[in-house]
Amino acid sequence: MSRRETLGNLSPNHPARPSMAGRLVGKEGGGPARQSTLLKPGRPSMAPGALLDRRSSAFGKGASLKSDPRPLGDKNFLNGCIRTVITYLSTHGYPYAVSPKVLTSPTGKDFTQIIQFLMQCFDPSVKVFGKMEDEVPLFFKRLNYPFQISKSALFAVGSPHSWPSVLAALTWLVELLNYEEKAEAAASDPAGPGALDSDRQRSERAFYDYVSGSYKSFLLGDDERCAAADEEMLGQIRTREAALTAELQAAQQASESLRSTIDALRAAPSPLVAAAAARDECARDKAKFEAALENMAAAKSTCARKVEERRAELASKKAALADVLADNEGLRATIANQALSRADVNRLLAERGKLKGVLDSVKGAREGLERRAYEQELAVEGSLKGLEEAVRQYNLAAHRLALIPASAKRAGGTNFELAVARNGAGPQELVSADVKGCVKPGLVALRERYRGRARDLGEDALGLAEQLDAGREAVRERAEDVANAQLQVQKLDAAHRALRDGVDGDMRVTGEQADKIKDEVASLRNAAAGALADAEERLRAAVGEYEALQRRCQGELEQLRRATHTALDATMQHRLDVRGALDDVRAAASEAARAVATAFVPAPAGGVAAGGGGGGAGPSAAAVAARG
């Protein structure tokens, strides 16, 4: 390093550039080009998905990857990119219609309109003078986009093999715009964003204070303070890591609790199904009872008519019997008053036997009619009891379903209660309520309403099941990301400790060599006190050897200094990488918490969150690189 500069004035709210204008190289009237900090060479990419793998060194230009590590073939990733672009366009005044269908397979015109709008978001005065196939790759190259956009992909921009990479580039551009907006908001109003993300603000401020303090201590040669700052920052990182791990575990426990609740609800019998079955059974029983009531009413009418006929016939028979008895009495009186011959007596006895037979037949007919009337009365009474039992079962079911009384929950002001009137003259009068005109239509309407609710609840259950599956998949992916990040942090910590141990060993060896040289010089000076002439000669030789040794020591010290600088560079790079990894872990944990918190309402992935996640390490890398 030819020049070092303190980072004491570095602030976490340090703006990336003064305004949103001048982001592109503009040409108007042949005047000089204007370029913003986003287009300066050497600025690292702010894409949050590639910060860990493509972070530039704090004192040099970082290397870029040859292949895109993003899952461009994953349909969910592409859908997320489409939602990010649509969210930005719809919230920033895009003048044309945009939809997922348009961004799934766009035409050349659609792509031209979108890219020109995004370019003008960087600089409203930008104008494209050449072909889009030439201007777009140059535009992304000036923004330090880490991957190559070929002209052939822009010639057939909507084709399935070229559109995913172009869509990923547009998403990266939108995330960069979102990051710039948040950086400007933080620069213009430092207290504003802190009200929404105070923890992130404090974390970034602490990191910048740590970098500036460590660099000051390094420039002053205070290694103890540097080591103390390293230990303090490492402790803070471990504390935040433990907090994030605890939050992730809490989110997993909440997810498991929700999953168990949903499983319990699924396993439990549906009260709606049981109520619907009971309602259908009641409807069938009601129909049977109504038919039975009609049949019984008809039978009762027939029986009543027959009973009246038999009673009239019995009355006529009684009248005839009274006439016969009266005739018999008259005949007896006549016989008593007249003299009868044997022939007359025989004739009278014969007539009496005939009349007695007729009387016995009339009595038998009467008894048969009375017996049939009694049996009919018993049948009617049994039918009435069955009807009363059916009405009682109906009323009990209606009570359980909250249909009676009329002020019940599901009655809706209709009186669904039934009562049997034994003195009713017809089938309609046997039941107190109007079954066909009021009760049956009300029950049919209630059944249709609950069928609609059952269909809606079934659809909601399917939607909740899909959301639960998506939440489980998101939690599983976030857990894998957290595990990978933790493994990477452990590897980086091991590399940092090994590097620090190597530097300490080199420093100890150099100190021992310097002490040995000092001891040799002291012994030479003591030996020179014996003889003056010999001492002067030997002194000159010793001085020459000392100067040679001093030059060699200075060379070795210079080499050690350079090695120390290189180790500090690597340490700074390690700090930046650890910072980026922790930001990604925190973003992943926050995303998992939001996914679990919104398990019943899917929330689209917005570009602002992605840009904000990558912004934690982006400003520090750019600022340190500029000062390096």
Side-chain angles (χ1 to χ4, degrees), residues 486-553:
Q486 290 177 350
L487 182 60
Q488 190 171 5
V489 168
Q490 292 175 0
K491 291 180 179 178
L492 292 175
D493 288 339
H496 176 253
R497 287 194 296 270
L499 182 60
R500 185 173 60 185
D501 293 339
V503 171
D504 294 339
D506 294 340
M507 292 292 292
R508 285 194 298 271
V509 171
T510 305
E512 292 175 358
Q513 292 178 356
D515 293 337
K516 186 183 295 184
I517 292 171
K518 290 179 180 179
D519 294 338
E520 292 178 358
V521 171
S523 62
L524 291 174
R525 287 180 178 176
N526 292 331
L532 182 59
D534 186 52
E536 289 177 352
E537 184 64 20
R538 295 170 67 182
L539 180 59
R540 284 193 297 271
V543 169
E545 185 178 1
Y546 173 76
E547 290 175 353
L549 289 174
Q550 189 176 14
R551 286 192 298 272
R552 187 173 65 183
C553 290

Side-chain angles (χ1 to χ4, degrees), residues 122 127 178 246 266 268 300 329 361 418 435 502 509 562 580:
F122 278 98
K127 294 180 180 179
N178 287 326
R266 286 179 175 176
K300 181 180 178 182
E329 292 296 330
S361 64
L418 299 181
V435 176
V509 171
R562 285 195 295 270

Side-chain angles (χ1 to χ4, degrees), residues 300-434:
K300 181 180 178 182
S301 300
T302 304
C303 292
R305 181 172 50 80
K306 290 181 179 181
V307 167
E308 292 297 330
E309 292 176 355
R310 297 298 182 271
R311 285 178 179 175
E313 185 178 357
L314 179 61
S316 63
K317 296 292 183 180
K318 286 182 178 180
L321 179 61
D323 293 339
V324 171
L325 293 175
D327 292 340
N328 290 334
E329 292 296 330
L331 291 173
R332 285 191 184 96
T334 301
I335 292 171
N337 294 326
Q338 68 181 1
L340 296 176
S341 64
R342 183 177 297 276
D344 293 333
V345 172
N346 292 332
R347 182 177 55 82
L348 291 175
L349 290 175
E351 289 179 358
R352 179 181 179 183
K354 291 180 181 179
L355 293 175
K356 186 176 181 181
V358 172
L359 181 61
D360 292 337
S361 64
V362 169
K363 288 182 178 180
R366 177 184 176 183
E367 291 176 356
L369 290 175
E370 289 178 351
R371 186 170 56 254
R372 290 181 60 187
Y374 178 71
E375 291 175 355
Q376 292 292 335
E377 289 178 357
L378 291 179
V380 171
E381 182 66 23
S383 299
L384 287 176
K385 288 182 179 179
L387 178 61
E388 290 176 348
E389 180 64 21
V391 169
R392 187 182 68 82
Q393 295 294 335
Y394 164 79
N395 289 333
L396 290 177
H399 269 294
R400 288 197 302 269
L401 297 175
L403 293 177
I404 56 176
S407 59
K409 177 180 178 181
R410 298 186 178 89
T414 303
N415 185 15
F416 289 100
E417 188 172 6
L418 299 181
V420 178
R422 286 179 170 269
N423 56 354
Q428 301 298 331
E429 297 179 0
L430 288 176
V431 182
S432 61
D434 186 5

Side-chain angles (χ1 to χ4, degrees), residues 269-285 397 400-401 403 410 443-444 446-455 457:
S270 176
L272 182 61
V273 175
R279 180 194 60 198
D280 295 338
E281 184 179 359
C282 290
R284 291 192 297 270
D285 294 341
R400 288 197 302 269
L401 297 175
L403 293 177
R410 298 186 178 89
L443 291 175
V444 171
L446 186 63
R447 179 187 64 188
E448 295 300 326
R449 183 166 69 252
Y450 275 94
R451 279 182 178 175
R453 288 187 61 188
R455 288 192 296 269
L457 290 174

Side-chain angles (χ1 to χ4, degrees), residues 515-601:
D515 293 337
K516 186 183 295 184
I517 292 171
K518 290 179 180 179
D519 294 338
E520 292 178 358
V521 171
S523 62
L524 291 174
R525 287 180 178 176
N526 292 331
L532 182 59
D534 186 52
E536 289 177 352
E537 184 64 20
R538 295 170 67 182
L539 180 59
R540 284 193 297 271
V543 169
E545 185 178 1
Y546 173 76
E547 290 175 353
L549 289 174
Q550 189 176 14
R551 286 192 298 272
R552 187 173 65 183
C553 290
Q554 289 178 353
E556 291 178 355
L557 288 174
E558 184 64 23
Q559 292 179 358
L560 179 60
R561 188 178 295 109
R562 285 195 295 270
T564 304
H565 292 169
T566 303
L568 289 174
D569 291 347
T571 303
M572 186 65 69
Q573 174 65 24
H574 166 68
R575 293 168 182 166
L576 294 175
D577 292 344
V578 170
R579 177 60 182 173
L582 289 175
D583 285 342
D584 291 347
V585 170
R586 181 170 52 192
S590 300
E591 186 65 20
R594 287 195 297 271
V596 172
T598 60
F600 297 97
V601 178

